[in-house]
């Protein structure tokens, strides 16, 4: 352990997560969306947030493009930076859970080890992994932001699915296939799984 760390002594406050959850009227949780660019992470996180919000649940979305223009604006798309990106987001998610809020984290999070580290940091019981499954060809066909085209012609390096790996989750808590199901069907499946977990 680094020497300076020996002199950091956390303060224990009187109010805890349970007190905050009671005030909110629901449990806090991290709903972690992982999947290729264009698979539907942001769309589903947004749809789920709207539903939960309208049912009195306090939520907050952490989304790749947003966090990467602020907190993580110093990180690129190398493997090391992606790992650090997920590590910081995991720490932020953990704080939100302690604050009593339902966090919807939508990041490609391509590496299994990083997703597992996120789950272990937040705590297994607080973490729900949602694999937003969609074949690369469909994501590429959608090409919401025109990035796949740029990745194919070499303008963007290390692009997930093209020139950087995506390790498919093998034991996600929920798998949502957005290529074969409508947005409404996907959201219904999500709501059915998530809502009961938030009841006090
Ligand atoms: N090289 C490369 N590879 C993948 N994605 C890229 C890249 N460059 C920019 N973008 C845009 O950044 C968004 C992904 O950021 P994330 O923080 O979710 O990525 S990661 O979890 O660190 O892998 C991703 O957003 P989504 O499409 O919402 O996934 C892209 O818009
Ligand atoms: N069943 C579905 N669920 C979510 N998105 C879908 C679905 N079917 C089509 N789409 C479309 O796919 C695109 C997904 O984009 P986005 O949510 O930004 O993905 P990501 O955040 O994973 O990059 C959107 O244009 C959305 O309308």
């Amino acid at each position: 352990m680094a020497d300076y760390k020996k002199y950091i002594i956390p303060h224990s406050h009187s109010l805890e997560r349970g007190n905050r959850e009671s005030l909110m009227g629901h449990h806090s949780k991290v709903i972690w969306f992982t999947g290729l660019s264009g698979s539907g992470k942001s769309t589903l996180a947004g749809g789920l947030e709207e539903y939960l919000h309208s049912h009195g649940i306090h939520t907050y979305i952490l989304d790749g493009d947003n966090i990467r223009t602020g907190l993580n604006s110093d990180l690129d798309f190398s493997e090391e930076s992606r790992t650090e990106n997920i590590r910081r987001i995991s720490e932020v998610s953990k704080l939100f859970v302690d604050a009593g809020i339902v966090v919807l984290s939508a990041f490609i999070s391509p590496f299994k080890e990083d997703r597992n580290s996120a789950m272990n940091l937040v705590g297994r019981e607080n973490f729900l992994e949602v694999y937003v499954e969609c074949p690369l060809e469909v994501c590429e066909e959608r090409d919401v932001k025109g990035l796949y085209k740029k990745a194919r012609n070499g303008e963007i390096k290390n692009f997930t699915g093209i020139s950087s790996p995506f390790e498919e989750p093998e034991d996600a808590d929920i798998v949502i296939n957005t290529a074969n199901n409508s947005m409404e069907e996907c959201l219904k499946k999500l709501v059915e799984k998530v809502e009961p977990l938030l009841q006090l």
Side-chain angles (χ1 to χ4, degrees), residues 26-185:
H26 57 78
H27 282 302
S28 53
K29 200 111 212 132
V30 176
I31 320 289
W32 189 281
F33 297 84
T34 173
L36 291 169
S37 175
S39 57
K41 303 179 298 295
S42 303
T43 305
L44 293 177
L48 181 61
E49 175 167 63
E50 278 176 32
Y51 175 89
L52 295 175
H53 184 84
S54 68
H55 286 75
I57 310 276
H58 299 74
T59 56
Y60 195 74
I61 293 183
L62 300 173
D63 194 296
D65 285 321
N66 303 348
I67 298 295
R68 279 178 170 280
T69 54
L71 177 67
N72 290 351
S73 58
D74 57 323
L75 301 177
D76 60 19
F77 288 90
S78 64
E79 292 199 7
E80 300 71 35
S81 284
R82 289 182 199 252
T83 295
E84 176 61 8
N85 184 37
I86 300 308
R87 188 194 70 78
R88 290 185 201 169
I89 292 148
S90 310
E91 291 284 1
V92 172
S93 298
K94 186 180 173 188
L95 293 176
F96 271 103
V97 165
D98 194 44
I101 288 170
V102 176
V103 192
L104 308 165
S105 292
F107 297 89
I108 297 177
S109 37
F111 302 121
K112 208 171 287 180
E113 194 178 333
D114 295 343
R115 294 191 298 264
N116 283 342
S117 301
M119 183 175 77
N120 291 331
L121 185 81
V122 172
R124 180 69 187 98
E125 68 286 8
N126 302 317
F127 192 92
L128 200 81
E129 186 177 87
V130 180
Y131 175 27
V132 184
E133 188 183 27
C134 187
L136 177 66
E137 308 82 73
V138 177
C139 294
E140 205 167 347
E141 174 75 28
R142 289 179 184 163
D143 209 4
V144 185
K145 303 170 195 162
L147 299 181
Y148 280 101
K149 193 158 172 251
K150 290 194 170 74
R152 284 290 181 198
N153 69 28
E155 209 177 310
I156 307 178
K157 310 272 177 248
N158 299 330
F159 197 82
T160 307
I162 308 285
S163 41
S164 183
F166 179 79
E167 298 173 0
E168 273 196 74
E170 281 152 12
D171 46 11
D173 296 300
I174 320 179
V175 179
I176 303 278
N177 186 305
T178 66
N180 304 331
N181 301 286
S182 70
M183 199 122 72
E184 291 68 30
E185 288 165 336

